[in-house]
Amino acid sequence: MSAAHSLNRILSKPKADDGANIRKLRRMILVEGIPSNEDPTLRPRIWKILLRVADLSADSYLHYVSKGPCEVREKIRNDTFRQNSGNRPRLQRACSRGYADPFTRRLCLAKPWQVTPGMNVLAAPFLYTMPSELEAFFCFSKFIEESCPLYVVPTLEGVHRGLKLLDKCLKIVDPELFSHLRSKNLSAEIYAFPSILTLCACTPPLDQVLQLWDFLLAFGVHLNVLCVIAQLLLMRDELMSSLSPMRLLRTFPPLEAMPVIGIAVTLVRDLPPELYDELVKHPFLL
């Protein structure tokens, strides 16, 4: 039985979002990934289940549409195109149909989360993946409000906490690499800010970003910190032998989702329980 067939069997059940089926989805995402090439409907359906998006209120959506575009709409659209130039035609069609307007209008009106640096890149996977304006809007809103609200407050509290946690975790899982980077005055605040801010969506290619986000939506946004460490470990030899590792860290190598996920999962076992608990809470709990 193919992975696509197995996933479709789970998704076709009346209670696809109950605990047992969620566990099956998570296991399949971890072991096999979502075979989106076989069935392009799988990823959007699974993301809606993982985010528990059930209420797609057209009235609520149209309320934000009726407000018209806000002042940051062009920035979000232009930055999204720049970040995902290889997929520009599809994103161009999405924004021309009006995806960006209700997104940005809700962001402009909502409190306490606001339009912040990086939110344009966080929106891109939803703009690309979801088949309708309604689904993209509600999935993105649910994601921001529940999965990582502290990443989009004006102070970027969750992002800065994530960067500090990256240093703490790296010091435990690879003290030699941590010491080497610190000897060059490199902390996570300096080299990992874009990757933490955007949940690795700043590192192409987009298809690998989507595969990594399957994992983050299934198991928790907090694991992005370990995914960034995994990318460091994949380039460890070059970093350790470099007299100027920042030159390598300015632009991370192209993302490879499955190796990164595999390393991140193994790193969880190396962390003290209290540190992992802090990691889990940092995107949403003060």
Side-chain angles (χ1 to χ4, degrees):
M1 184 184 299
S2 70
H5 183 70
S6 298
L7 286 168
N8 271 309
R9 285 188 60 186
I10 295 171
L11 298 177
S12 66
K13 294 180 180 179
K15 293 185 178 180
D17 60 348
D18 69 12
N21 286 317
I22 289 289
R23 286 192 293 274
K24 290 178 183 177
L25 286 176
R26 287 173 173 158
R27 185 166 58 250
M28 293 197 71
I29 287 170
L30 186 61
V31 175
E32 302 181 55
I34 297 175
S36 55
N37 291 335
E38 284 184 56
D39 184 347
T41 73
L42 283 173
R43 177 167 282 123
R45 290 157 65 197
I46 290 171
W47 281 19
K48 282 190 291 183
I49 288 174
L50 294 173
L51 290 165
R52 301 192 183 280
V53 172
D55 181 19
L56 301 175
S57 169
D59 288 342
S60 176
Y61 176 76
L62 291 172
H63 166 73
Y64 289 105
V65 172
S66 71
K67 301 294 183 181
C70 74
E71 62 274 12
V72 296
R73 184 254 189 140
E74 288 304 313
K75 173 173 173 50
I76 287 182
R77 186 179 67 174
N78 292 338
D79 286 355
T80 299
F81 291 162
R82 263 199 305 275
Q83 179 61 35
N84 300 282
S85 57
N87 299 286
R88 185 170 305 199
R90 181 164 175 176
L91 289 170
Q92 180 87 47
R93 290 195 298 273
C95 287
S96 68
R97 290 200 302 270
Y99 276 52
D101 292 340
F103 272 91
T104 54
R105 175 52 59 184
R106 176 160 178 169
L107 301 184
C108 288
L109 295 176
K111 299 290 183 179
W113 51 292
Q114 301 177 8
V115 177
T116 58
M119 190 175 284
N120 51 317
V121 187
L122 292 178
F126 295 99
L127 294 172
Y128 186 83
T129 297
M130 292 298 156
S132 74
E133 299 178 24
L134 215 57
E135 291 162 291
F137 174 69
F138 281 103
C139 285
F140 178 73
S141 299
K142 190 78 174 289
F143 173 71
I144 289 296
E145 290 168 350
E146 296 189 4
S147 297
C148 54
L150 294 183
Y151 274 55
V152 293
V153 294
T155 60
L156 301 178
E157 173 70 20
V159 176
H160 292 296
R161 290 169 67 181
L163 291 163
K164 290 176 182 176
L165 285 164
L166 195 158
D167 280 330
K168 287 184 180 180
C169 293
L170 181 59
K171 187 175 182 179
I172 289 172
V173 303
D174 194 332
E176 187 180 9
L177 177 57
F178 173 81
S179 296
H180 178 64
L181 294 178
R182 292 309 293 260
S183 74
K184 308 299 181 184
N185 296 316
L186 292 178
S187 66
E189 284 274 358
I190 295 172
Y191 65 80
F193 185 85
S195 295
I196 296 297
L197 176 70
T198 65
L199 306 179
C200 290
C202 64
T203 305
L206 182 58
D207 67 310
Q208 295 299 300
V209 171
L210 297 179
Q211 193 169 2
L212 184 66
W213 276 39
D214 296 337
F215 169 70
L216 296 178
L217 292 179
F219 293 94
V221 164
H222 64 282
L223 289 169
N224 179 59
V225 171
L226 300 184
C227 289
V228 178
I229 292 177
Q231 291 173 78
L232 297 178
L233 296 180
L234 286 169
M235 54 192 300
R236 185 183 191 279
D237 290 345
E238 294 88 343
L239 290 171
M240 289 298 298
S241 62
S242 175
L243 298 176
S244 181
M246 188 60 200
R247 290 196 306 179
L248 299 170
L249 294 170
R250 282 195 184 97
T251 304
F252 278 32
L255 185 65
E256 296 181 81
M258 291 310 288
V260 165
I261 290 168
I263 294 171
V265 170
T266 63
L267 293 178
V268 171
R269 297 177 301 202
D270 297 330
L271 300 181
E274 62 276 9
L275 179 56
Y276 185 71
D277 186 57
E278 190 178 352
L279 191 68
V280 169
K281 295 175 180 176
H282 88 272
F284 61 85
L285 190 63
L286 286 170

